[in-house]
């Protein structure tokens, strides 16, 4: 099980960081067809990456990888979670005047959001691996 999880994690890193373009990253959560297209293309590439590492073409597994990732990215669930727990959000930062405080908060917010977002993705991959083992 641990080996499968590590392989899925490597696929995640390649699909979510190495193969995701700036256009995908900045557009995938936007409203409209452009956002849906960007999110879908990104998640197809991501799913292919994870599938390659897991050496699977099983449609159920591919769906279990694709669907949660699409939902997390399309609706920016990391951002929604941070709002829910009153964490650091871009909305708060955008109201600040340009300057050192704003720059500091932007620098601090980015890794917090990244960790929350990655945790959601990694938990969904972990669930896929757990379901595979049953």
């Amino acid at each position: 099980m641990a080996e499968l999880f590590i392989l899925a994690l490597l696929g995640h890193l390649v699909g979510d960081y190495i193969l995701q373009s700036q256009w995908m990253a900045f557009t995938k959560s936007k409203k409209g067809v452009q956002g849906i297209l960007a999110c879908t293309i990104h998640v197809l590439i991501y799913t292919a990456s994870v599938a390659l590492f897991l050496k699977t073409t099983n449609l159920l597994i591919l769906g279990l990888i694709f669907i949660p990732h699409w939902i997390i990215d399309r609706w920016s669930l990391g951002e929604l979670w941070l709002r829910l727990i009153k964490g650091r959000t871009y909305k708060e930062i955008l109201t600040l005047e340009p300057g050192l405080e704003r720059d500091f908060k932007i620098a601090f917010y980015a890794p917090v959001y990244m960790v929350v977002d990655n945790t959601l993705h990694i938990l969904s991959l972990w669930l896929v691996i757990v379901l595979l083992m049953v």
Side-chain angles (χ1 to χ4, degrees):
M1 185 159 115
E3 182 181 332
L4 283 178
F5 182 70
I6 290 168
L7 291 170
L9 182 59
L10 288 170
H12 163 74
L13 294 171
V14 170
D16 230 16
Y17 293 99
I18 293 174
L19 300 176
Q20 182 173 198
S21 71
Q22 183 175 328
W23 172 75
M24 291 178 213
F26 289 135
T27 310
K28 65 188 177 188
S29 297
K30 290 187 176 178
K31 292 181 181 178
V33 175
Q34 192 85 4
I36 293 169
L37 180 64
C39 189
T40 302
I41 290 170
H42 162 61
V43 179
L44 283 170
I45 292 168
Y46 173 89
T47 302
S49 177
V50 174
L52 282 170
F53 277 87
L54 291 176
K55 297 178 185 164
T56 186
T57 57
N58 181 305
L59 292 179
L60 176 61
I61 295 169
L62 296 177
L64 291 172
I65 294 166
F66 181 93
I67 292 168
H69 194 95
W70 196 90
I71 291 168
I72 292 165
D73 280 5
R74 183 72 188 117
W75 288 292
S76 292
L77 294 189
E79 176 79 13
L80 292 176
W81 177 255
L82 287 169
R83 283 188 205 157
L84 179 70
I85 66 165
K86 306 285 190 240
R88 297 151 197 94
T89 66
Y90 278 125
K91 205 173 203 176
E92 167 200 335
I93 294 167
L94 294 176
T95 62
L96 298 173
E97 293 293 321
L100 188 58
E101 180 188 8
R102 183 177 181 195
D103 292 348
F104 176 78
K105 285 192 174 188
I106 289 171
F108 192 68
Y109 170 86
V112 170
Y113 173 79
M114 252 178 65
V115 169
V116 170
D117 181 68
N118 273 289
T119 301
L120 293 173
H121 289 308
I122 291 167
L123 283 172
S124 70
L125 285 175
W126 176 77
L127 285 173
V128 171
I129 300 302
V130 168
L131 289 172
L132 284 174
M133 300 306 291
V134 173

